[in-house]
Amino acid sequence: MQVIKNYVEQNKQRFLDELFELLRFQSVSADPKYKDDVLKTAAFVAEKLKDAGADKVEVCETAGYPIVYGEKMVDASLPTVLVYGHYDVQPPDPLELWHTPPFEPTVRDGKIYARGACDDKGQFYMHVKAFELMMETGTLACNVKFMIEGEEEVGSANLGIFVKENQERLKADVVLISDTSMISMEHPSIETGLRGLAYMEVEVTGPNRDLHSGVYGGAVANPITMLCKMIASLHDENNHITIPAFYDKVADLSEEERSALNSAPYDEEEYKQDLDIAEVWGEKGYSTLERTGTRPTLEVNGIWGGYTGEGAKTVLPSKAFAKISMRLVPHQNSEEIAAIFSKHFEEIAPAGVRVKVTPHHGGEPVVTPTDSIAYRAAEKAIETSFGKQAIPTRGGGSIPIVALFEEVLGIKTVLLGFGLDSDALHSPNEKYDIFNYYKGIETLPLFHQYYAELSKGE
Ligand code: BES
Ligand code: MN
Ligand code: MN
């Protein structure tokens, strides 16, 4: 532990400077206008992996953005850890809400503000620096493979193909990912599940052209009103989703599982205060932790149509649109859910409008084991570095590729994230605490060390 602490202490400033360099790249995968920067980011990551001591570093082309690969095989008899992360980020919009520019990392109050600071540049880069540390101090205890992709925020479609085509190269004993949250630094925790996702776009068409809202209003169905009614009908008075068969495969948790989950520290007053809301909302009969961690949900991500420019225009629009996504829990399947959503949404359309439903990306839910050597190694690493027992939690977010690691490669994952839910992922003023960044760099080598030790005993 002292070797680790000394190395981090001596290289603190450089570790931060390098992360800042990484954060300055505008690697937004969703918007083609950032293409050059996304590609430059991949090259930068490859360079840094090489500098840290990785072999066989390669920027692997795909039909979309490249995947950066690198490895250090020390000894075939040692276990192999496959580190996954993503160098792409969400769009920074709305720009006017940022206090400092999203791609000029700025420190305020010990926190780094930048798009990707936490999700996931700040987090995956901890692995690159932890790897450098282990190489430089001669403490690398496992073989390591890195796979850092550039399309996580748009669904990882090409990574899925890459994984299927590179099964031999990606052989490993465990996947290690830092792309999730902890409860807090006082209550270190490990996420043991991720929700799946089915993302849809809907288009509602009324009359064949925009109409004068005085001449036609009252006699023709307004697609925006119809869309709003249809969306509103998707939850009942208990905030239960009304789509037939939606819950069919959802397994209820046992009372023990529920009480274990609900024993995690959670302060509802603090939660509400942080978000400036008077009350929480959700499916009746479940706590907030259950609602986000164990229950499927449906959210409208965006809705548009008609006139939204300056001033007022009296118009009855021809079309209305919405992006709607559903978070899924174990045993639900994203394609099945997409299909039943489409069928239902078409069925509830009033006679005066037509509906088109188009699925976007999806991903399957996962539960990660808590009785594995790798999980124990993660628990031990946290105990050593935080001086506290790690609390298992269920995360509400999605990392679509995790289910595929299991399905295609047969490898289970450990989600050893150091972010906080309050780090404003995907929001303006995303941040990552410098403390968490260094803490991660200190904890990860311990994982490798304990994982190697515990694997020997098996
Ligand atoms: N890192 C997040 C997922 C996450 C965040 C998991 C916090 C647990 C806690 C990831 O980058 C992400 O944002 N995933 C997307 C899915 C993707 C298909 C766009 C998500 O969850 O919306
Ligand atoms: Mn992420
Ligand atoms: Mn994300």
Side-chain angles (χ1 to χ4, degrees), residues 151-168:
E151 296 187 316
E152 196 276 340
E153 299 291 9
V154 290
S156 303
N158 291 302
L159 182 67
I161 299 168
F162 182 83
V163 168
K164 286 186 186 127
E165 286 174 353
N166 287 271
Q167 299 190 29
E168 196 52 41

Side-chain angles (χ1 to χ4, degrees), residues 86 88-90 119-120 152-153 179 398 425-426:
H86 62 95
D88 66 321
V89 299
Q90 286 275 325
D119 185 10
D120 178 41
E152 196 276 340
E153 299 291 9
D179 193 23
S398 309
L425 328 179
H426 298 200

Side-chain angles (χ1 to χ4, degrees), residues 71-279:
E71 63 175 48
K72 189 78 207 177
M73 299 302 285
V74 197
D75 185 333
S77 69
L78 292 174
T80 302
V81 178
L82 174 59
V83 174
Y84 163 81
H86 62 95
Y87 65 81
D88 66 321
V89 299
Q90 286 275 325
D93 313 80
L95 283 173
E96 65 279 10
L97 296 183
W98 285 79
H99 301 310
T100 48
F103 297 107
E104 280 172 32
T106 311
V107 175
R108 287 195 297 281
D109 195 22
K111 297 166 183 77
I112 309 160
Y113 285 84
R115 170 57 83 232
C118 175
D119 185 10
D120 178 41
K121 286 173 171 173
Q123 293 214 60
F124 91 73
Y125 204 66
M126 299 181 315
H127 288 265
V128 182
K129 293 300 96 178
F131 171 63
E132 174 200 309
L133 180 156
M134 294 186 284
M135 289 294 290
E136 289 296 315
T137 57
T139 55
L140 189 63
C142 297
N143 302 309
V144 189
K145 295 178 174 178
F146 282 93
M147 181 170 64
I148 314 295
E149 72 152 320
E151 296 187 316
E152 196 276 340
E153 299 291 9
V154 290
S156 303
N158 291 302
L159 182 67
I161 299 168
F162 182 83
V163 168
K164 286 186 186 127
E165 286 174 353
N166 287 271
Q167 299 190 29
E168 196 52 41
R169 162 148 66 164
L170 298 175
K171 256 199 178 138
D173 298 284
V174 67
V175 178
L176 183 63
I177 304 177
S178 296
D179 193 23
T180 50
S181 310
M182 280 197 179
I183 298 169
S184 67
M185 287 297 103
E186 292 70 46
H187 300 294
S189 57
I190 303 175
E191 287 193 14
T192 59
L194 293 163
R195 288 194 289 185
L197 185 69
Y199 201 112
M200 322 293 293
E201 185 160 333
V202 301
E203 179 185 311
V204 176
T205 306
N208 59 6
R209 59 187 187 275
D210 284 6
L211 303 174
H212 188 293
S213 68
V215 176
Y216 289 97
V220 175
N222 182 318
I224 299 181
T225 313
M226 298 307 122
L227 174 58
C228 290
K229 280 188 183 227
M230 291 164 72
I231 288 174
S233 78
L234 297 176
H235 290 98
D236 69 12
E237 67 282 6
N238 293 323
N239 302 327
H240 209 68
I241 294 158
T242 56
I243 302 170
F246 184 82
Y247 291 99
D248 278 8
K249 297 200 170 162
V250 178
D252 283 324
L253 267 65
S254 69
E255 278 313 313
E256 294 83 72
E257 285 175 303
R258 288 183 73 169
S259 70
L261 215 106
N262 286 316
S263 68
Y266 162 76
D267 184 332
E268 192 136 293
E269 283 315 309
E270 229 174 76
Y271 188 87
K272 292 193 283 191
Q273 231 170 43
D274 177 48
L275 302 175
D276 267 329
I277 52 171
E279 203 38 86

Side-chain angles (χ1 to χ4, degrees), residues 406-429:
E406 199 167 324
E407 191 191 312
V408 177
L409 302 174
I411 316 176
K412 305 269 187 195
T413 293
V414 170
L415 299 164
L416 192 48
F418 295 83
L420 302 176
D421 283 344
S422 56
D423 278 339
L425 328 179
H426 298 200
S427 305
N429 305 303

